[in-house]
Amino acid sequence: VLDDARLDLLVESGLPAVIAGRPWGDSPFAVVETEHAQGMSALVEHLTAAGHRAVAFIGGDPAYEYVATRRWVWMETMRKAGLEPGLSASVVPEDAAARAATARMLRASPRPTAIVYTSDLLALAGLGVARELELAVPGDVSIAGFDDSPLASLSSPPLTTVRVDYAGFGEAAAAVLLAEIDGLERPQFQPAPPELIVRGSTGPASRGR
């Protein structure tokens, strides 16, 4: 969480601690982080390479660092491709607000040819809205999530997403915390790069859009 008051409380407590995720600013504790931002870059590059010029973004609570980071990477990757970032929305509470934001975007004129979401659950809500509006995915709009949750491969169509090694991330955080408790040297953690998982929910941008 950005501007997280719990950090000051942990400092005052004097207890060993590890920050699992990149803090906003300096950290008084050891930090273990994934390279999840690279995954958003790969996702947007996949869509622009498929001809998409209007890629929208729908993210969860912007108070969370990972949401803010993924939104910034979406914007920067679009700009590096010579494109304007386009429509974006922050959604809280996530499911109902994601549906409403998706509906607004898909009713816009012109509408985006692709939407990226900061989680698979948000993307699955978006898939449902596209279906209700009788839009084909990916024929009318491409939809992509993030995290490669178990539901991503079971949706219709299966969801393009990004796989992050959260199990390795959790193991590394625990190992660093145990070293902190025992007063030992912190083990080094080299996160695995995120993996773009291309499935049926994304495809080439239609020439008619």
Side-chain angles (χ1 to χ4, degrees), residues 57-79:
F57 174 94
I58 294 180
D61 190 340
Y64 288 101
E65 179 275 334
Y66 77 92
V67 174
T69 296
R70 292 175 191 176
R71 183 179 186 277
W72 182 85
V73 171
W74 159 74
M75 294 175 63
E76 289 300 298
T77 307
M78 291 292 289
R79 287 170 177 154

Side-chain angles (χ1 to χ4, degrees), residues 95-122:
D95 183 69
R99 292 178 59 82
T102 301
R104 286 195 302 271
M105 290 182 182
L106 294 181
R107 290 188 176 110
S109 182
R111 68 170 179 261
T113 64
I115 306 176
V116 295
Y117 297 78
T118 53
S119 75
D120 291 340
L121 290 179
L122 296 183

Side-chain angles (χ1 to χ4, degrees), residues 48-59:
T48 58
H52 293 277
R53 298 294 176 262
V55 180
F57 174 94
I58 294 180

